[in-house]
């Protein structure tokens, strides 16, 4: 399950690119907009998946987009279906601001509060810097996530399809 929260569209485009890359590796996923994915829909989709990838933009003083807040609250409430889910977070922002990738920090905190297990984390949280080499940052995340998926699921992940080595 790939969930994105965007402000200007860069995170949506990155989520679409991630899904495209995963499809090339025979991994079935579709991007879901946090603005329109309510708690019930998240729970239904999470129940069919082995992993959730949260891709979160940062805006203003370092916060996740307003539209993502209800879903992040649900994830952090302890009511979301996180048990056993692999998870990864990729933040998007600019290092020009003091709370660089603050949206990713909010997503990490929500996962922790909601009971996501640290040992089920697929890869370290990535931070894509609009003021740096964003493509290299994103490519690093994709490589790390791919390795984590193979390690965690031995080549097979429900809701993320089959991972061919």
């Amino acid at each position: 399950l790939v969930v994105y929260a965007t402000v200007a569209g860069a995170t949506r485009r990155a989520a679409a690119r991630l899904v495209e890359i995963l499809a090339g590796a025979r991994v079935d996923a579709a991007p879901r907009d946090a603005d329109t994915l309510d708690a019930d829909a998240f729970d239904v989709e999470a129940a069919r998946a082995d992993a959730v990838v949260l891709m979160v933009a940062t805006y203003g003083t370092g916060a996740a987009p307003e539209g993502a807040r209800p879903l992040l609250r649900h994830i952090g409430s302890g009511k979301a279906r996180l048990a056993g889910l692999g998870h990864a977070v990729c933040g998007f922002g600019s290092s020009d601001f003091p709370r660089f990738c603050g949206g990713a920090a909010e997503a990490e905190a929500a996962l922790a509060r909601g009971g996501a297990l640290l040992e089920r984390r697929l890869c370290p949280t990535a931070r894509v810097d609009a003021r740096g080499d964003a493509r290299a940052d994103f490519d690093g995340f994709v490589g790390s996530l791919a390795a984590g998926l193979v390690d965690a699921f031995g080549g097979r992940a429900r809701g993320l399809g089959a991972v061919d080595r």
Side-chain angles (χ1 to χ4, degrees):
L1 174 58
V2 177
V3 179
Y4 67 89
T6 194
V7 176
T11 307
R12 176 186 48 77
R13 288 187 297 276
R17 179 69 183 129
L18 175 62
V19 167
E20 189 178 287
I21 291 165
L22 291 172
R26 296 192 178 115
V27 176
D28 182 31
R32 301 289 187 249
D33 188 343
D35 278 354
T36 59
L37 187 65
D38 67 20
D40 291 335
F42 175 86
D43 287 344
V44 167
E45 293 203 35
R48 289 186 281 205
D50 282 330
V52 61
V53 178
L54 300 177
M55 301 177 72
V56 185
T58 300
Y59 83 104
T61 59
E66 191 65 35
R69 292 179 184 271
L71 184 59
L72 290 177
R73 275 193 299 274
H74 175 64
I75 290 170
S77 72
K79 296 176 185 174
R81 297 183 179 151
L82 300 176
L85 273 180
H87 54 89
V89 175
C90 183
F92 294 78
S94 171
S95 57
D96 285 345
F97 296 96
R99 287 201 63 224
F100 172 52
C101 286
E106 289 181 37
E108 289 175 314
L111 285 165
R113 282 191 314 275
L117 301 174
L118 186 58
E119 61 268 15
R120 297 291 291 166
R121 187 169 74 168
L122 298 170
C123 61
T125 296
R127 287 171 173 76
V128 177
D129 188 356
R131 291 290 179 218
D133 191 345
R135 170 162 261 150
D137 294 342
F138 181 69
D139 289 347
F141 169 69
V142 171
S144 185
L145 176 63
L149 287 168
V150 169
D151 288 347
F153 302 111
R156 184 93 185 123
R158 256 187 356 222
L160 283 171
V163 179
D164 285 347
R165 294 182 194 220

